Structure formats: C-alpha cells, structure tokens
Amino acid sequence: MGIFKGPNITTRADKISSFTVATAEYGSPVLEILGTTRISGNVLYYDDFTAHEHRETHRTGKGGGGKQTTITYSYTVAVIIGLCEGEVKNIGKVWIDKSVYTYPHSDIQLTLFKGTASQAPWGYVTSKHPEKALSYPNLAYMAGVIDLGSGGSMPNFNFEVIGKLTNTGDGKDVNPADYIKYVLDKVGLSGIEIVGLDNYRAYCKAADLLISTPSDSTEARTAREIVNEIAELTNAYMFWSNDAFKIVPREDRQVGSWKPNKTILYDLTPDDFLPQSGGACVTYSRKDSSELYNRFSVEFLNRENGYEKETVSYEDTADIALYGVKQASTINAHYVYTKARAVMLAEAAARKNKYERNKYTFVLGWAFCRLEPGDLVTLTAPSLGLERVPVIIDSVVEGTDGKLTFTAISRPPADYGEAEFDVHENERPYIDFNLDPGSISTPSIFQPDTSLMYGDNEVWIGAYGENQYWGGCNVWASNNNTGYKLIGTINQGARIGYLVKDMSETDTELEVSINSQLISGTLEDAEKGNTLLWMNGESMSYTTATLLENGNFLLSGIIRGQYNTTPIKHYAKTQITRCDDALIRCNFLYSDIGQQIYFKFTSFNVLMGNEQSLADVPYYTRVIQKRDVRPPDITALECTRLSTGTRQFWWTFKYPTPNDIDGFELRYNQGSNVTWDTGIPLHTGLITEQPFETEALRQGVHTIMIKAVDNTGNYSKGVASVIANLGDPLEENVLYKANASENVWSNCTHTGATNAEGNLMSSSDSYYWPDSNTPMWTKADALHWSESYKYFELSFQVLAPASGQMWLKYDIEGPCEIEYRLVGKDGYWMDEKTPFWEGNESWASWVDSKEMLKPYTGKSMVNAGDTIQVFIKAPNNVSEPTIIKELTLIIDVPDRQEHFEDITVPLSGLLLPIATPNYYTTAVRIDAVQNSNIAVARAAVINRNPCMIKLVDINGQPVSATVDVTWQGFVKEVI
C-alpha cells in the first residue's frame, strides 16, 4: 500500500444552455386530413428544457490510488407538436429520425390529443405552468416530455395520422365521393344537391379508387381546385347545371357490380345539325400519331414504403415493339397511396389515349338543351363517313344567338341501345321566337347629384316591361325627335313605383306601390346609400322594408337629403326609383345642356327577339341640366432623373368618356408634405403630354404632386404624389462658402424670427381663449393657438470672389420658394425711391431691369465680382411654418497647389513663398517631417493672404521643425 493517495480527477462535459427547434413555423395553414397520411407536425409549445447530471466514478492506480470522475449531461424538454384539424381517429406509425414505431409505444414519449371541441389542456402544463395551459380545441396534437439524450436538439418526428372519413373507404382511405361532399360542405355548400353522387360513390368503391389528403399539401387551396383535381384523377365530369352540381363517371367498362351508362339520348343526323362556318355540319380533329403514347407513368405516395414518392408505369407492349417507347407526361397522383391503384390510373390513362383520339364539334338548337357533359349520343354525317358513331359530350357552350356548340369525344365499340329521345319529324318541339314583348311602363329618367356620377352631364335611366315575355329594351335618344341614336340597353327591369301618401320634409317613413320586391337593410346600409331611392330631386335611403297586406311596402328608418340634396315635401303619385344596377347611365355633351332630349324604348322578348320598331313606341322627354363632375384621379406618378440632371415625370391616368380633360398640373412642396394648396407650381399653363421634363427643382427632399384639370377648370379630387430626394451637389475642388446663419442671421434681412434652436422661421398669427368656457378650451395653460403663419421673406447676397459654379446648401422645412439672380458690376440704386433699395451701403448695387429672378434649381456659373442675391419666400396664411435651419452659399472654383520641401518653420511661424498671384488660401497640408524626434500634428494657418503658417503638436502647442508642405488655394480675381 502506498503512503500517499493518488489525485482525484474530474472530467465534466460541456453543458448545453439552449434548446434547438427545427420544426416550428409561424403562420402556416392548419392541414385537415381526410383519410390517412404522413405529416411532420409543427411545434406549438416547448418549456422546461432541463439538464440532468450523470456522474461515473472509478479508482485509478494501485493501493490508495486516486479517483476518476466523469460528469455528463442528458436533457429533457416538454413539447406540444400540432398535427392537423381535429377530430382524428388515431395515430398509426411514428418515425423518430431513422427509427419507426407503432403508436402507442414507450419510446415515442408522446400522447395523442385527438382534437375534440371539448378536449382539456395537457395535464403537465396545467400542473407546472397553469398560466400557459391551453386546450387547443379542434386541433389534434401530440404532447409529452422528450428525452433528448446528450444533445440539445429535438429529433425529427413524423406521424401517420388516421384522419376523417376513413369509414367511407377501407378504414385508411376515403371514397372520393365523400371527399368531394365534405369539401363542398366545408365551404358552405351543404344545401346544394350533387346529382349522380351515389352512382359516383358506387363506381369509386367498385374500382377501388380510394384517396387520402396528399402529405405534401402544405399550401391553402380553393375548393374548386381540390374538387376539379379529384374529378380528373378519378375520370369523372363534375359541373354545375340547373341549380345543382352534377358528377358523371366517364368509365365505359363494367367494374365489379357497377355498370357504366350506355344510354344513347339522341341519334343525331344532318337534319339536327346547324351549319358551322363553311357550311360543315360536323367538324372533327384527330390526335397526331406523335401524341399516341404507349407508356404512361403515375407518381404516387407509397404507404408501404414510408409514404415515399414512387412511380409506376403501364406499357402497351405491342405498340412499343412496333414504334418504340413514346413516354407520356407523368401523372401526379399524390392522393393515391397504393401501388395497385396507381397502376389502375396508368391503365385508365392509356385507354383514354387510345379510344378518345377523335374529337367532334357540332352545333345544335335549343331543342337539344337537355344535353350535358357525360351524355351519350350518336353522330351520323355521310360526308365524313360517320354512321351512328357513339360519342360522349365533353363540353357545351351557349352562344349569344341561342345556339349550342358541343364538343364530343369518341367512345370504344360497345353494345348501345336505341336512342331515348326522338326529335325528328313531327315530334320535334317548336319554339316560338316571336313572342310579343309588350311595351314598357313609364320609365324613370333623372340626373342625380354629381357625387353619384362617373361622368359629366350623366342621366340615369330605368324601365320595366308590362308583359310576361318582356326581356329588356334598347334605349334611343334624339335632340329633334327625328334621328335617333342607340345610347344603351336595359337587360333587367328596374324597381319603379309611386308614393301612396303625401310625405312631409321631416317624415322618415313612406308607403310605396312598386313593381318588385324591396329588401330590408341595416342602419349602416342606409347611411352608406346601399338602399338608395330617388324621388323628385331628393336622394334618400331606407332601413326596413315591410310588405303590407295590400301589396305595398312600408319603408321606415329613412335617411333624408343624401348626396347634397335637400329634404322636400313629396305628394302622392310621385314616382320613386330604386337606384341599383338595373339603371343605365348615359353621358351627354356640354352642347346638349339646356336642350330637350327625346328618349324612346324598343322592347324585345325573353329570347332577345321580336324587337319593337321605333315608329311604334312613344317618346319621353328630359331637359339636360349641367352636371360637372370632377376629373378622375391620377393613379400613379413617377420621377426619373436623366444624366443631364433633367427630371422626367410620368403618370398613369384613365381618360373619362366623353373626354373633357384639358391637361395636368404639377406642384411641389419642400419635404414630405402632401398638401396641394401649399404646393408651388412647377410650370405655367397646363401639361398635355408626358413625360414632363423640368430642371426647376432644387436639391433636397421634395414632394411632387399632380392633378388632372378639365375644360371647366375642375381639378381631380385626389392627388397623386412622389417623394424625391434630389440630394446636395458634390463639393468639388477648393470651396468658397458664405453662411447666412452666422451672427444670428444678421448677414441677411428677413421678416421672420429665430426660435430656441437658433433656426429662422416664419411668424404666426396667435389667438387666445379668455377662459375655460370658450369653445376648444382644453386646460388651464392652453392660452393660445396658432391659426396660420404670415408671409415670410429672406434676402441674402454675396459678392463672388472668383469665377466658378455657385450652389446653395440648405435645410428648410415647410412651404417656400427659392429664387436668385446675379447682379453685375454696373448698376446702382441711387436713393431710397429705387426699387429694392434696403437703406444701407451693402445694398448699393442692383441688377439691370432685364435680369429677372429665377427659380433656384442647382449649380450655375458666376463671375468674379458678381453680386449673388438669394430670396426665400413663403406664402401668407398657411397652416405650416417655414423653418430655415441652414443656408450656405458655396462657389466651386478651380484649385491651385504648390509644394515646398525641407522648409524650416520656427516657433513664431513662417510666411510661405507662394508664387500664385492674388491668391486665397484654403488649406495647408504637412507631407513629411524631417525631424523624426519632433511630434508635429498639423499646420495651422495664421493668415491666408499672404499665407503664414505655424506648426503645432497634438496639444495645440507651437513647435519648430523642418517639413515638406503642400499649399492649396485659388486665384482671387481682381474685382
């Protein structure tokens, strides 16, 4: 035994501090599973990520040796994994990473909550975190505390969910008939009949065509898309007819006990066909041989192989031996989960390809209106060699002339019986297209307020017929009762009646005798004009419509005087019109204003035929009143900048009919203020073409706005705008700057005042509330309020020391105009009577009268000695102040440089030997220091002209050294 113990060694694994989730997604749709499929789920909740310590100790060495302790960690976490919409039947298999289990199993560590409406919260969360306990009604989920092992990540879970409607199929999959019915019920169509559903269900059951929700269906889809895909997959027609859905299997062979439809409805012959273009009775198209495929593939999800995608094929071996393989496009059948069903779909596709090669087109009259997709007929057309050839109707289209155009596809040979209907000879039904439409009752012709109109001088017209065969009428207009022009067609009867009893200006109910039904609305409907009535110049809307025993309607809860009309007294027998889509709206020209217009209404019958003659109908008159409507709004405005600096403006606008637009107007505001009234015009007159190009925009942020203007001067109501940041020009070369804000803006004259930040702003008009009883008083310290801001002007001038490019750098908020002009060396204000005289010497020079103020747009050339005058103006009585935070005039001038080497600068400084005549120093730069032991920070310019410099260290103390320096400046021209 040793005298001394060995060392104790502890090895500790790194502890994971956070839990990693890879299957949580926010906002994903909740899947509803019909049948049985595999899904991954979505983590809804996790908590209590816990590390569990594990110690393992064993001795080391001999005798009294030491100990070796190893500390490792395993982890657990409580999770809830959402599956789908409940209630589901059960869970089948569960995939955890590469392991597969059958639920329930202890290694799964999760419990199923089936998603009932009344399910309780998970007990674990209820006991541990009651404030987080949710029941998730109607949502199926798995919950449990998962052992994560030594890692901090959750394993990949996949679940085989046995969902809804499995009882309609084989316990796992669903009968497509019930799948379709469930989808339609889900979207609110449970009351709609599906004709042929039982037959379709029997066919799918006999053919073992059972389906389940695709496992890869992760996006929300419309009911129409789902139903159409299932019908196509199961070889069936589904369509809407006679207020019901209809579904018809296309299968032509008996399947089990189910038998296909082999009833021929009509034997169609040349006596039945209506001629098509070129006089043909029947036209047909035939698939090219290149489209006759002999190998058909179907992609499905194999349940027996963990729901992996697989492909099966059906081959016509005889055709392949003759022509080689001709592969058709693969059919995506992810609703199918067994190989046998996928093979059956491939075989059905091959059969359709072979026997539905020919497609026929023919036209029939209304005597054959009973024919629908899925019906069988025979075709006889000697010119095409057709003799009682069976076909199935594939589609039918009704033309505006009442003719029916059919397409049909060929059927394989079979034992078909006699036709069920015979419409030949005397048995053909007769349709009378010359039914008498009768005349209209007194029409309604009026002009509402312009707020209801879409165009200028609009007239609203409504009519209804007195005869049961009335189908509508054409509306004609004339200004002399001689030559009439068609202005519109009424296709449905308007609701027109008359007031039964007098109605005062304040009444809120009325009794009306009307030709059709009136439906009640809500108070909100009435306020929004959804139940609008027109009666003798007044617009009003009702809330409740009650049918009386005498057949009249009592309208109550009426809101009077809508859309800029005035409540007035109305007398019994006054016409009342319900304003809805049955009324047509016609625009009249300005030349028609004040004229009496004649209207005629020629009725036609329900078959669009037997229209009345203009000579046989009476006329009605109306004097056209001026109704000037604002132009339509411009919908978009865009701004582009050319390389030259010119701005181009483009806009999107739909011209009205008739077109009364004179042009467009563009305005702009400084900053992001979209206020048309404070905008500054970008041009004179109106713009008639685009793009509009201008350079009259200065740098900075601007809001450019546009409106349309009609020929009476009306502006469109809305404004289209674009915010453009035109930026500051780049500072180039050597700069000369003059700051207007120095010495509290004493370098300029202005009508404003400085605020606490030292910014210059326009002055406001102030008003006071004398006491708390005054309207708009809010609190004791609310002593005044600003109504508007006064006219503001700033004047600033600079004498240019050299020739170059002048520009302004500024920061301005609020509305304003910036203008400038250049004043030459000649020209003076002689006394105070001279225009623009300001009363001091600095304003002694003035520009020639021909030199006008220009809008400031950017850089412009100036000459040495020019006086540059800058004016900033803001309008009077505006609600937004003008605030000038910065105003600096800058002149870019050509720079000059001179270099000096090995010059010694004493502590007192050195006058640089500048060779440039009449120079002005802008900067001096140190290039090198020969005294390496002296710390020189920079060269300080003591005087600029002549240029004298000192050398200073980092503390600003003067030093003496031998250095290389570069001088920079510009030539200050002789003025």
Side-chain angles (χ1 to χ4, degrees):
M1 179 179 293
I3 300 176
F4 302 103
K5 279 189 174 183
N8 293 335
I9 300 174
T10 300
T11 303
R12 184 184 296 271
D14 292 336
K15 188 176 181 181
I16 299 173
S17 60
S18 61
F19 170 51
T20 303
V21 181
T23 58
E25 181 180 355
Y26 178 78
S28 61
V30 178
L31 186 65
E32 185 167 17
I33 296 177
L34 307 184
T36 304
T37 191
R38 171 180 170 171
I39 61 173
S40 60
N42 193 20
V43 174
L44 305 179
Y45 168 89
Y46 72 88
D47 211 335
D48 296 339
F49 177 66
T50 306
H52 304 275
E53 184 178 288
H54 304 277
R55 290 175 176 266
E56 182 178 339
T57 303
H58 60 272
R59 295 184 179 276
T60 61
K62 299 180 180 180
K67 293 181 181 179
Q68 174 72 41
T69 301
T70 302
I71 300 176
T72 59
Y73 296 93
S74 64
Y75 305 90
T76 59
V77 67
V79 297
I80 295 177
I81 303 176
L83 299 178
C84 61
E85 185 175 327
E87 175 181 359
V88 301
K89 293 255 186 333
N90 207 345
I91 296 294
K93 296 179 180 179
V94 178
W95 290 262
I96 305 176
D97 289 334
K98 296 182 179 180
S99 301
V100 183
Y101 306 93
T102 299
Y103 181 83
H105 193 284
S106 59
D107 288 348
I108 298 175
Q109 306 177 82
L110 296 171
T111 301
L112 171 65
F113 288 75
K114 293 186 177 182
T116 63
S118 59
Q119 67 185 2
W122 180 24
Y124 176 89
V125 181
T126 303
S127 61
K128 296 282 189 178
H129 309 283
E131 75 282 0
K132 300 179 182 179
L134 300 175
S135 60
Y136 300 105
N138 301 312
L139 179 69
Y141 65 88
M142 302 288 287
V145 178
I146 301 174
D147 184 354
L148 304 176
S150 59
S153 299
M154 194 174 99
N156 290 321
F157 281 91
N158 284 272
F159 305 92
E160 182 181 47
V161 180
I162 304 172
K164 304 175 182 179
L165 302 183
T166 55
N167 60 311
T168 66
D170 59 359
K172 288 190 175 181
D173 292 307
V174 181
N175 191 301
D178 297 285
Y179 200 119
I180 290 174
K181 182 68 168 64
Y182 184 88
V183 171
L184 295 179
D185 290 350
K186 196 75 172 180
V187 295
L189 299 178
S190 57
I192 304 298
E193 180 186 8
I194 305 178
V195 178
L197 186 65
D198 290 338
N199 180 54
Y200 175 65
R201 183 183 288 111
Y203 159 68
C204 292
K205 181 179 180 180
D208 193 35
L209 279 175
L210 304 180
I211 61 175
S212 289
T213 300
S215 65
D216 56 354
S217 178
T218 58
E219 296 181 354
R221 303 179 63 202
T222 64
R224 177 180 60 83
E225 292 172 332
I226 295 172
V227 170
N228 284 345
E229 184 174 356
I230 293 174
E232 182 178 359
L233 192 65
T234 56
N235 196 24
Y237 290 111
M238 185 163 181
F239 53 93
W240 178 262
S241 177
N242 295 327
D243 298 327
F245 286 113
K246 293 188 178 181
I247 189 164
V248 181
R250 295 176 57 178
E251 181 60 58
D252 54 41
R253 297 179 299 178
Q254 181 172 342
V255 180
S257 60
W258 180 86
K259 295 181 180 180
N261 173 32
K262 291 191 177 181
T263 301
I264 301 295
L265 293 187
Y266 296 99
D267 288 325
L268 300 176
T269 70
D271 292 335
D272 304 306
F273 302 124
L274 299 178
Q276 303 178 54
S277 59
C281 291
V282 179
T283 59
Y284 82 101
S285 60
R286 182 178 176 86
K287 287 184 180 179
D288 188 83
S289 58
S290 61
E291 297 180 72
L292 293 180
Y293 305 107
N294 51 32
R295 182 176 182 178
F296 298 84
S297 299
V298 172
E299 183 181 271
F300 72 106
L301 302 177
N302 193 345
R303 184 175 289 128
E304 296 300 321
N305 188 24
Y307 293 86
E308 295 295 331
K309 292 180 182 178
E310 292 187 5
T311 302
V312 297
S313 298
Y314 180 86
E315 298 179 348
D316 185 343
T317 54
D319 194 81
I320 291 176
L322 291 173
Y323 305 108
V325 175
K326 290 187 286 184
Q327 175 73 48
S329 299
T330 300
I331 300 171
N332 187 325
H334 291 183
Y335 281 92
V336 175
Y337 286 85
T338 68
K339 184 174 182 179
R341 291 168 188 160
V343 171
M344 184 169 57
L345 293 180
E347 181 184 0
R351 184 173 176 81
K352 286 172 61 178
N353 181 74
K354 182 175 182 179
Y355 290 110
E356 296 182 0
R357 184 176 184 180
N358 296 334
K359 178 174 285 189
Y360 303 90
T361 303
F362 49 90
V363 179
L364 301 174
W366 264 90
F368 298 92
C369 63
R370 73 174 72 238
L371 287 176
E372 296 175 331
D375 289 338
L376 300 178
V377 298
T378 64
L379 302 180
T380 298
S383 61
L384 296 179
L386 303 178
E387 180 64 32
R388 204 168 182 271
V389 173
V391 295
I392 184 172
I393 302 298
D394 189 59
S395 69
V396 56
V397 177
E398 179 185 354
T400 56
D401 55 0
K403 297 177 182 179
L404 303 175
T405 301
F406 293 88
T407 59
I409 52 181
S410 55
R411 298 289 277 182
D415 184 15
Y416 299 101
E418 295 296 323
E420 185 172 344
F421 302 105
D422 184 5
V423 295
H424 297 113
E425 303 298 336
N426 296 331
E427 295 181 13
R428 184 186 299 274
Y430 172 73
I431 299 177
D432 184 5
F433 287 90
N434 294 314
L435 296 171
D436 182 13
S439 298
I440 65 167
S441 294
T442 303
S444 177
I445 308 172
F446 62 94
Q447 290 181 266
D449 183 73
T450 55
S451 59
L452 291 170
M453 293 183 179
Y454 294 104
D456 294 332
N457 310 318
E458 201 171 80
V459 175
W460 291 19
I461 304 172
Y464 69 93
E466 298 176 334
N467 192 307
Q468 63 175 325
Y469 300 119
W470 186 83
C473 61
N474 286 321
V475 183
W476 308 77
S478 171
N479 55 9
N480 56 16
N481 197 23
T482 302
Y484 278 86
K485 178 182 178 182
L486 180 66
I487 61 172
T489 300
I490 294 175
N491 292 310
Q492 58 177 315
R495 287 178 279 183
I496 303 173
Y498 62 87
L499 187 64
V500 175
K501 302 175 184 177
D502 290 354
M503 184 181 188
S504 72
E505 298 91 332
T506 59
D507 287 343
T508 58
E509 68 175 25
L510 61 85
E511 184 178 342
V512 60
S513 174
I514 200 163
N515 64 311
S516 186
Q517 184 179 8
L518 295 176
I519 300 175
S520 296
T522 63
L523 177 60
E524 184 181 6
D525 288 328
E527 291 172 343
K528 291 183 176 180
N530 295 335
T531 56
L532 188 65
L533 304 170
W534 174 266
M535 182 164 55
N536 193 27
E538 182 184 352
S539 294
M540 62 184 75
S541 298
Y542 67 88
T543 302
T544 305
T546 305
L547 180 62
L548 304 177
E549 292 183 356
N550 59 9
N552 297 338
F553 281 90
L554 179 65
L555 305 182
S556 58
I558 296 177
I559 298 178
R560 304 287 301 272
Q562 291 182 303
Y563 300 105
N564 301 319
T565 61
T566 303
I568 60 175
K569 183 175 182 179
H570 301 285
Y571 297 95
K573 299 300 181 181
T574 301
Q575 188 182 68
I576 299 178
T577 304
R578 176 70 169 87
C579 300
D580 55 21
D581 292 339
L583 305 182
I584 64 171
R585 296 160 171 79
C586 304
N587 296 100
F588 285 82
L589 302 175
Y590 283 97
S591 58
D592 295 323
I593 294 173
Q595 291 195 27
Q596 179 169 275
I597 302 298
Y598 298 83
F599 296 90
K600 285 193 173 187
F601 301 80
T602 55
S603 299
F604 46 80
N605 61 30
V606 292
L607 299 176
M608 305 292 291
N610 201 21
E611 183 178 355
Q612 294 175 315
S613 169
L614 277 171
D616 296 336
V617 296
Y619 63 80
Y620 303 87
T621 61
R622 172 81 189 186
V623 175
I624 304 301
Q625 299 176 355
K626 182 179 180 181
R627 291 289 191 272
D628 207 2
V629 179
R630 286 175 177 262
D633 290 340
I634 297 170
T635 56
L637 175 65
E638 294 183 0
C639 174
T640 57
R641 189 177 189 274
L642 303 181
S643 59
T644 59
T646 300
R647 282 92 185 179
Q648 280 189 337
F649 292 94
W650 302 80
W651 55 92
T652 303
F653 180 71
K654 183 177 182 181
Y655 286 86
T657 303
N659 180 15
D660 64 343
I661 302 301
D662 260 9
F664 305 90
E665 183 174 318
L666 281 155
R667 297 182 183 181
Y668 71 92
N669 279 322
Q670 175 76 19
S672 55
N673 173 27
V674 188
T675 305
W676 178 261
D677 293 338
T678 62
I680 302 166
L682 262 180
H683 52 85
T684 58
L686 294 178
I687 304 167
T688 57
E689 296 180 353
Q690 57 175 311
F692 169 69
E693 296 185 350
T694 183
E695 295 181 358
L697 277 175
R698 58 189 186 270
Q699 73 272 11
V701 177
H702 292 78
T703 299
I704 301 94
M705 305 166 289
I706 188 170
K707 284 190 175 187
V709 186
D710 65 17
N711 53 23
T712 60
N714 287 328
Y715 287 80
S716 52
K717 183 176 181 180
V719 57
S721 63
V722 62
I723 296 177
N725 188 349
L726 306 180
D728 289 331
L730 295 176
E731 296 187 11
E732 300 170 354
N733 305 322
V734 181
L735 303 175
Y736 171 82
K737 298 182 180 181
N739 189 347
S741 64
E742 289 180 348
N743 301 319
V744 198
W745 302 89
S746 61
N747 295 335
C748 56
T749 60
H750 57 80
T751 60
T754 55
N755 59 18
E757 290 78 25
N759 301 326
L760 188 62
M761 63 180 294
S762 53
S763 302
S764 64
D765 297 323
S766 298
Y767 294 84
Y768 295 83
W769 290 293
D771 53 49
S772 57
N773 295 322
T774 306
M776 298 185 71
W777 175 277
T778 58
K779 54 186 177 180
D781 58 351
L783 298 180
H784 67 275
W785 62 292
S786 295
E787 181 186 48
S788 62
Y789 290 85
K790 298 178 181 179
Y791 173 80
F792 171 80
E793 180 175 289
L794 176 144
S795 304
F796 177 52
Q797 75 175 24
V798 172
L799 185 67
S803 301
Q805 295 192 77
M806 180 276 296
W807 57 280
L808 298 174
K809 184 177 182 180
Y810 54 82
D811 183 0
I812 304 176
E813 294 180 359
C816 72
E817 297 180 36
I818 300 181
E819 298 178 314
Y820 80 101
R821 61 182 172 186
L822 303 179
V823 180
K825 299 177 185 178
D826 302 322
Y828 296 87
W829 286 297
M830 303 305 298
D831 54 45
E832 63 272 11
K833 296 180 182 180
T834 308
F836 288 95
W837 174 269
E838 290 292 339
N840 68 47
E841 295 176 355
S842 64
W843 286 81
S845 60
W846 69 294
V847 72
D848 186 273
S849 60
K850 296 179 182 179
E851 190 71 35
M852 302 298 293
L853 287 169
K854 302 176 184 177
Y856 172 71
T857 59
K859 287 186 176 181
S860 60
M861 289 299 301
V862 297
N863 296 316
D866 284 349
T867 297
I868 307 164
Q869 297 179 344
V870 179
F871 298 89
I872 299 179
K873 302 175 184 178
N876 190 27
N877 195 30
V878 294
S879 59
E880 184 180 2
T882 299
I883 302 175
I884 306 177
K885 298 180 179 180
E886 179 186 358
L887 177 61
T888 302
L889 186 145
I890 301 171
I891 300 177
D892 288 349
V893 294
D895 62 346
R896 294 286 294 270
Q897 288 188 0
E898 293 187 23
H899 185 68
F900 305 96
E901 295 185 355
D902 298 331
I903 60 172
T904 300
V905 181
L907 291 175
S908 59
L910 175 69
L911 184 68
L912 293 180
I914 308 297
T916 301
N918 197 31
Y919 64 84
Y920 182 85
T921 301
T922 56
V924 176
R925 181 182 71 243
I926 298 175
D927 297 321
V929 180
Q930 275 67 35
N931 310 67
S932 59
N933 58 336
I934 299 177
V936 179
R938 61 185 177 87
V941 179
I942 302 172
N943 190 65
R944 295 189 179 274
N945 190 16
C947 182
M948 187 171 184
I949 66 171
K950 277 187 177 183
L951 303 179
V952 296
D953 60 17
I954 58 174
N955 297 316
Q957 298 300 316
V959 295
S960 177
T962 301
V963 295
D964 295 348
V965 299
T966 296
W967 170 88
Q968 187 176 16
F970 63 87
V971 176
K972 188 174 181 181
E973 300 178 25
V974 178
I975 301 175

